[in-house]
Amino acid sequence: MSSDSPDVIVVGGGIIGAACARALSIVGIQTLVIDAGDREGAATPASAGMLAPVAEARREDPLLALCVRGRDLYGELVPELEEETSIDVHRWTGGILQVAFTEEEAAEAKNRVAWQRQAGLHSDWLPVEDVKNRFPGIADDLFGGVLAAEDGAVEPTALHQALMKSAEMHGARLVRGQTVSAVLTERGRATGVKTNKGSTNGGAVLIAAGCWSGEIEGLPRPLSVEPVKGQMAALEKLPEEPPSIVYGFHGYVVNVGPETLIGATMEHAGFDSSVTDEGFAQVLQSASRIYPALRDRRVLRKWAGLRPGTPDGNPIIGRDAEVQNLWYATGHGRNGILLAGLSGRIVASLYSGDEIEYDLAPVDPARFWTI
Ligand code: GLY
């Protein structure tokens, strides 16, 4: 490709687009990222940044292995990014607790520990006294909790900035303020994109536009990606509470940064990213069930983000089955921060024709298109 025409046009400069652009650039692929700019409801800045593959795992979840790899990859990726960019990503590895408030929840939680251990995951049941000792200020009336000791968090905006800065340092170009409306194809091949400012040619097109991916025209079939709204709030930090992340069965409290973050709803409300009294009440109710003192903390901010959701909750990563040079890295749902680094690696490896030693069937773009 000429210097004006990149090897790959990445549609979307959110955390997934940035991670893919970086990974592609590192292996020498000329990459142009086209980003619409700050969009209402963008998922990355709205996220709380948990790396919670074990805390959020469902039994026999086909995505679990990739999620654990996604978390562990940050052990090497974050130091690399911090060294390259001097941006502190604030990786925190203190573990995530899920508490049980009823006998039924406790039974389910103990069952979770059993299958997770059999699956080789680090998961421990903590009796109630242990929970209270390790998490001062936590509710009195719980039955215990499951500690996913290797789960943690990053600061999502910092990680996003570091990935994009690093991508540019490795040669990626970033254009902001252009919205891609369509993929251009010729004789069964993707040849570029149409934006609100004109057309751009490229050797391949990678759709990484989060919940807006399904709006892009010119694809062989509509992408199965819909916005799933998550309402969140930042509260004045809990005093003298050691850093912690605690999930209940209906929400979570993230107490590792300068504020206490509480979240999050799961709402199918289209592209509406407004905050509502009902949404905030639900989030505060779940959070103060875990830490009762949160009910009286000062509310600093409320916001909502739009997760890019798919029918099975798994992302769509890989090449299109019919149109050559058309690629996807989208639909990451609840796992965008967790899987960003790994998604970049997967795309760059597939693009370069490298062998991938793990099962990509759960993220196969063709899985929704068998009829
Ligand atoms: N992974 C947390 C959330 O999406 O709310």
Side-chain angles (χ1 to χ4, degrees):
M1 282 286 144
S2 77
S3 60
D4 286 353
S5 180
D7 296 324
V8 179
I9 297 172
V10 177
V11 180
I15 198 161
I16 303 297
C20 291
R22 176 182 189 265
L24 288 164
S25 302
I26 283 176
V27 293
I29 294 157
Q30 286 177 16
T31 305
L32 171 69
V33 181
I34 301 183
D35 184 53
D38 296 335
R39 273 179 143 173
E40 272 299 290
T44 303
S47 156
M50 279 92 71
L51 305 177
V54 177
E56 292 208 8
R58 288 172 287 118
R59 192 168 193 167
E60 282 159 28
D61 183 347
L63 199 63
L64 179 58
L66 287 177
C67 286
V68 171
R69 277 177 181 268
R71 178 197 66 191
D72 294 346
L73 178 61
Y74 285 117
E76 74 184 73
L77 191 52
V78 166
E80 226 172 81
L81 285 170
E82 290 182 338
E83 168 85 28
E84 278 177 5
T85 66
S86 305
I87 295 173
D88 186 348
V89 169
H90 298 281
R91 177 167 174 256
W92 183 79
T93 55
I96 297 183
L97 180 75
Q98 180 172 39
V99 284
F101 286 110
T102 64
E103 279 182 38
E104 291 74 35
E105 285 182 359
E108 195 179 321
K110 285 179 183 168
N111 190 22
R112 168 190 282 257
V113 171
W115 73 254
Q116 290 190 332
R117 286 184 165 192
Q118 280 167 7
L121 301 170
H122 193 162
S123 174
D124 297 309
W125 172 254
L126 298 190
V128 62
E129 284 316 316
D130 280 12
V131 172
K132 285 187 189 166
N133 287 338
R134 290 168 74 157
F135 298 83
I138 207 159
D140 261 346
D141 57 341
L142 40 81
F143 282 72
V146 179
L147 183 64
E150 292 172 31
D151 282 1
V154 286
E155 209 289 282
T157 306
L159 176 61
H160 179 207
Q161 283 169 355
L163 285 165
M164 192 60 93
K165 184 170 175 187
S166 168
E168 292 185 275
M169 290 167 78
H170 287 283
R173 284 186 294 139
L174 169 65
V175 174
R176 282 176 66 84
Q178 289 193 24
T179 306
V180 171
S181 54
V183 171
L184 304 172
T185 55
E186 261 175 48
R187 291 189 291 279
R189 288 172 178 268
T191 55
V193 295
K194 187 171 158 208
T195 77
N196 57 332
K197 303 268 170 72
S199 296
T200 303
N201 292 330
V205 176
L206 171 69
I207 307 292
C211 70
W212 292 279
S213 301
E215 306 277 282
I216 295 167
E217 292 177 3
L219 304 177
R221 53 194 89 64
L223 268 180
S224 310
V225 179
E226 297 289 338
V228 181
K229 175 156 108 173
Q231 297 196 47
M232 309 259 316
L235 309 184
E236 199 173 30
K237 185 119 180 169
L238 283 166
E240 289 162 33
E241 192 67 34
S244 63
I245 301 178
V246 184
Y247 278 56
F249 275 64
H250 305 289
Y252 46 77
V253 178
V254 179
N255 199 39
V256 294
E259 301 167 334
T260 297
L261 307 184
I262 62 173
T265 58
M266 289 282 285
E267 299 168 69
H268 291 270
F271 286 93
D272 168 19
S273 60
S274 58
V275 291
T276 62
D277 290 347
E278 299 74 32
F280 174 67
Q282 181 190 321
V283 165
L284 184 61
Q285 159 68 24
S286 306
S288 55
R289 183 75 187 90
I290 300 169
Y291 283 104
L294 286 177
R295 186 158 291 288
D296 304 318
R297 303 303 295 165
R298 197 155 63 90
V299 180
L300 303 174
R301 286 173 296 122
K302 298 178 196 172
W303 68 94
L306 301 176
R307 308 173 184 90
T310 61
D312 59 6
N314 299 349
I316 298 169
I317 307 174
R319 57 166 69 80
D320 189 87
E322 283 169 24
V323 176
Q324 285 189 38
N325 305 331
L326 177 58
W327 294 76
Y328 305 103
T330 187
H332 287 70
R334 294 180 66 91
N335 297 310
I337 307 301
L338 176 64
L339 290 177
L342 188 66
S343 299
R345 288 262 171 115
I346 290 172
V347 166
S349 298
L350 290 174
Y351 191 89
S352 310
D354 293 345
E355 197 131 321
I356 304 244
E357 81 274 22
Y358 34 88
D359 179 18
L360 294 181
V363 301
D364 182 356
R367 69 191 186 279
F368 304 123
W369 303 329
T370 50
I371 48 173

